[in-house]
Amino acid sequence: MKPSQDRRFETRSPANARGVIVAPGLELPCLIADQSAAGMKLRLDRAYPLPSRVIVIDVGQALAIEVEVAWCKGVEAGVKRGASAGLGGLVPSRLAAARDAYMRAGGR
């Protein structure tokens, strides 16, 4: 049996950070299991089909990250990073729902 090959170009590191997935009509807690400069692996509380584009909130970093869902398998999902913005102050209107979700998750 051949060992599986990691096709990532970037080194990934464990994160174990609390997150929230936000999309129209969706607010779902998650764990950011690991991350790299290019993407993240998310662990959900339950298997849930995600839309192709969502916002992931890193609650500890007060950061909203626009991502593209690359794959979903059971309670895990892999996403590709896009633009990100801090949630500590004023945010663009497209991130208003993310800021609200961040506040509900205990952000300040």
Side-chain angles (χ1 to χ4, degrees), residues 54-65:
V54 298
I55 296 172
V56 175
I57 301 167
D58 184 330
V59 176
Q61 297 295 317
L63 192 64
I65 308 149

Side-chain angles (χ1 to χ4, degrees), residues 18-73:
R18 190 165 61 111
V20 179
I21 298 169
V22 178
L26 174 68
E27 188 173 312
L28 188 65
C30 70
L31 176 73
I32 301 170
D34 65 44
Q35 59 187 345
S36 71
M40 297 181 275
K41 181 167 68 172
L42 308 175
R43 197 163 290 131
L44 312 176
D45 288 344
R46 57 187 153 83
Y48 194 88
L50 297 175
S52 62
R53 293 188 181 272
V54 298
I55 296 172
V56 175
I57 301 167
D58 184 330
V59 176
Q61 297 295 317
L63 192 64
I65 308 149
E66 297 176 90
V67 303
E68 182 179 330
V69 177
W71 57 267
C72 282
K73 292 180 185 174

